[in-house]
Amino acid sequence: MSSFFTVPTSRRKRKYGDLDAIVPSVKRRTSSKITARTQKSRVPRARRDESISGSGSDDELRRKQASDDDDGEHSSQSEDEDETGAERRLRLAERYLDNIREEVDQVGFDAEEVDKDLIAERLQEDVVCPNCTHRFQQQVKVLILRQAETKGRLYRNIASTLNLSEVSMTYFRALSHTITSIAICAPHVYTVSKDRILIKWQLAEPSPSPLSKMRRAPKKPLPLPARRPAKLLYTRGNKARSQASSSMHHTAAILTVGASSTGKFVATGGADKRLIIWAAADLTALRVFSQHRDAVTSLSFRRGTNQLFSGSKDRTLKIWSLDEMAYVETLFGHQDEVVDVAALTQERSVSVGARDRTARLWKVADETQLVFRGGAGGKSGNDKQNTRFSDQTMATPNARTYAEGSIDRVALIDDETFITGSDNGSLCLWTLHRKKPIFTVPVAHGMDPPVTPEQASADEFPDHEIPAQPQPRWITALATVPYSDLVLSGSWDGSVRVWKVSSDKKQIEAVGVVGNDGPTVDGQEAKVRGLVNDLGVFERGERGKQGICVVAAVGTEHRFGRWKVVKGKNNAVVFEIPNMDRREVEGSATSA
């Protein structure tokens, strides 16, 4: 009996040669047998994939084997079978993220689309990646929002949703000198004053309005309920230790305070040229920096990090890394003292140099700076009115423009747009693409009444025939909700004014005034009794669904000196501004 091993080699070659003449159908049968044999060997691996991904069965495998007649289909299915369930989900998730990024780069961010969480709804309803878990959906949503912030684009419109007619107000309870600055790391607030005091407060949650519990409308207006902030920690410096280099506290007036968004550090700067870093948990002094040669006037933390920017009267801006408790770099360029500095998420900051009338944007990574020169107004609201109602505009006292002597305040709206306030009462809107303001609101907080000739003149016997002119009120405080259209400003007119940036980012529009039941100023009632030296704002609830909270640092003197003294209280004020109902918002939008 002959076998394969006993057959001569020549005969075996002829047998294989005869196979070449067989019809193609026999080749397909042999190939199908080979594929069936290989697929049988891959059944255990398919079962392992089934235990990982939860998809596939024996019936599905049989259907796949029966459908593998074509060579192209067989090759594509073999590639899919080589992937595990985890690799397949990862590949589909990466493809899904790439599609979303392409859409973002082509279309850009729409405020309404982001506000309504359409991206989250698409993640839940899309069938491209059915195995994505809820945790993965939340991570993608956070990634997209972070991309919007890193790109520095304004994408939220919240100014028109605020209900300024139902504002609740409460005072801080503390005995101190003029409050010079405040810093917020919700729900905590840090205040500093001229008598070297640093206080940590905890804000209370806003209580519901009593009108919501009443069936009928009251005959008299009811005051909105408010709870005072609780004082948690308190520390005070000693003026007598001004010569002691080992002192771990301020020995002169504290002019500025900043709190990191991480909730770990608090920084204070004072007229004693010291920058002190405190532990936010217990207000323990961690480090004292004395590199500045003059008073430290302003502080700002980079969002999400412990990187700190400090401005001083020595005309420099310094960068600090609090993770290593180390000095990083000094930025030169201002020709006068740096009185305010602001920063957001990117490694850049903007500062103003008082009487050099410049705002400078510092790109730290690129080691460059952009200079924006003030002193001349851009397109103003009054100029726009002159083209339409010239007679009425010229008859109003605010039609006159005043020379800008100093830029005192700055706040970032996003990474490409910022706003400044000056001593002539003007609010200026700036963008990186122009060196001059694109829009100016002159005399934003009104005019002071004319002073007496004795106050206006240094002569012993002043001439009463020369009338004194009214002067505009300075912009002494500015605050914004980053990456939104909301702007807040303060002065000594007894109120905090609310503004919004237009949808095209080219204008500033007035929204309203916070407060209307206090002492009379310019024929109107106001709540803020004193000079607003600083403002802080944060959102209540998830992305401001419950409104905003505004904290104002109020005093009888300006934070840098006593050249401006007004009647009032040395205290801080908390304003709780709720949101309007959706019906009211839609009604105001349609009327507009």
Side-chain angles (χ1 to χ4, degrees), residues 111-127:
E112 297 180 357
E113 184 179 356
V114 178
D115 287 337
K116 293 179 181 178
D117 295 334
L118 293 182
I119 297 176
E121 294 178 3
R122 180 180 175 183
L123 288 172
Q124 294 176 1
E125 298 176 358
D126 208 318
V127 297

Side-chain angles (χ1 to χ4, degrees), residues 279-505:
D282 54 2
L283 291 188
T284 302
L286 301 177
R287 186 71 182 272
V288 178
F289 295 103
S290 56
Q291 278 85 345
H292 280 293
R293 298 184 179 181
D294 208 334
V296 181
T297 57
S298 59
L299 296 171
S300 179
F301 277 91
R302 181 183 169 194
R303 294 184 69 191
T305 66
N306 292 321
Q307 187 179 24
L308 177 65
F309 297 89
S310 64
S312 172
K313 289 186 177 181
D314 60 3
R315 300 179 294 180
T316 64
L317 196 72
K318 293 185 182 295
I319 307 175
W320 316 82
S321 176
L322 300 190
D323 292 327
E324 293 82 12
M325 287 293 170
Y327 157 79
V328 177
E329 188 180 0
T330 300
L331 306 177
F332 298 92
H334 280 291
Q335 303 301 314
D336 197 11
E337 55 193 40
V338 180
V339 292
D340 202 7
V341 61
L344 286 180
T345 55
Q346 294 188 9
E347 197 173 1
R348 60 175 61 175
S349 65
V350 60
S351 59
V352 290
R355 295 198 173 275
D356 69 356
R357 294 181 294 180
T358 63
R360 296 175 184 259
L361 181 75
W362 309 87
K363 297 182 179 180
V364 180
D366 300 336
E367 297 183 354
T368 59
Q369 58 175 299
L370 300 178
V371 183
F372 304 88
R373 301 193 180 277
K379 178 184 176 183
S380 67
N382 286 334
D383 292 338
K384 185 177 180 181
Q385 291 180 358
N386 284 335
T387 58
R388 297 181 180 178
F389 311 100
S390 59
D391 297 337
Q392 297 179 4
T393 306
M394 295 303 295
T396 59
N398 291 345
R400 177 182 174 182
T401 58
Y402 294 84
E404 184 180 55
S406 173
I407 302 179
D408 298 330
R409 282 297 189 177
V410 64
L412 278 164
I413 298 174
D414 54 38
D415 291 318
E416 296 182 355
T417 311
F418 62 93
I419 188 170
T420 60
S422 308
D423 62 348
N424 63 345
S426 62
L427 288 175
C428 296
L429 183 65
W430 305 75
T431 182
L432 300 187
H433 308 295
R434 290 191 59 182
K435 298 298 183 180
K436 292 293 182 179
I438 60 176
F439 193 84
T440 302
V441 179
V443 197
H445 281 259
M447 306 284 292
D448 259 347
V451 297
T452 61
E454 288 76 13
Q455 295 175 340
S457 176
D459 297 338
E460 184 178 0
F461 302 102
D463 188 359
H464 290 268
E465 296 181 357
I466 302 177
Q469 298 294 330
Q471 296 297 321
R473 299 187 181 97
W474 312 338
I475 304 297
T476 58
L478 269 181
T480 61
V481 175
Y483 306 104
S484 73
D485 62 341
L486 181 64
V487 180
L488 302 171
S489 64
S491 186
W492 60 83
D493 60 340
S495 62
V496 175
R497 297 184 183 268
V498 183
W499 313 83
K500 74 172 182 179
V501 182
S502 61
S503 58
D504 57 357
K505 303 181 187 179

Side-chain angles (χ1 to χ4, degrees), residues 20-41:
D20 296 336
I22 299 176
V23 294
S25 61
V26 178
K27 285 188 176 182
R28 286 197 294 270
R29 286 197 296 270
T30 56
S31 63
S32 62
K33 291 179 181 179
I34 295 173
T35 56
R37 193 179 305 118
T38 56
Q39 288 180 356
K40 287 181 181 179
S41 63

Side-chain angles (χ1 to χ4, degrees), residues 206-210 212-213 225:
S207 50
S209 173
S212 60
K213 300 180 180 180

Side-chain angles (χ1 to χ4, degrees), residues 48-62:
R48 289 197 302 270
D49 294 345
E50 178 183 0
S51 62
I52 295 174
S53 62
S55 62
S57 63
D58 295 337
D59 296 333
E60 293 177 356
L61 290 175
R62 294 192 189 97

